[in-house]
Amino acid sequence: MERNKPMETPLIGNWRKEDATSREVLEATVYRKLVGSLMYLVNTRPIMCYVVNQLSQAMVRLTKMYWKVTKHVLRYLKGTS
């Protein structure tokens, strides 16, 4: 993720519509750890509250779209101080 360019927004637009067509379920262990780490940021960055809420809804059934959105959030955090 170090070589990726930073993003300007914390969330992808209309990502829920794309997720409705995704049927492939992924292993969620790493995802759960990552979302847990993002929950810590809610205390220091209030803008992340909605984003973490949306990502935490996929704890049981993780699809590729949620993983893609999580990487987008990491790229957004890379571009902010």
Side-chain angles (χ1 to χ4, degrees), residues 42-57:
V42 171
N43 295 327
T44 58
R45 297 181 186 204
I47 196 170
M48 296 301 297
C49 189
Y50 176 76
V51 175
V52 172
N53 178 357
Q54 294 297 306
L55 294 177
S56 64
Q57 293 178 12

Side-chain angles (χ1 to χ4, degrees), residues 21-26 61-65:
T21 61
S22 178
R23 299 287 182 225
E24 185 177 350
V25 178
L26 304 173
R61 189 176 181 274
L62 173 65
T63 60
K64 281 188 175 184
M65 190 62 202

Side-chain angles (χ1 to χ4, degrees), residues 11-61:
L11 209 54
I12 301 171
N14 293 331
W15 68 281
R16 287 276 192 187
K17 290 181 183 177
E18 292 180 32
D19 188 53
T21 61
S22 178
R23 299 287 182 225
E24 185 177 350
V25 178
L26 304 173
E27 172 60 37
T29 306
V30 175
Y31 180 79
R32 288 179 185 144
K33 290 179 182 179
L34 183 57
V35 172
S37 298
L38 289 175
M39 284 182 186
Y40 173 76
L41 290 177
V42 171
N43 295 327
T44 58
R45 297 181 186 204
I47 196 170
M48 296 301 297
C49 189
Y50 176 76
V51 175
V52 172
N53 178 357
Q54 294 297 306
L55 294 177
S56 64
Q57 293 178 12
M59 292 291 192
V60 176
R61 189 176 181 274

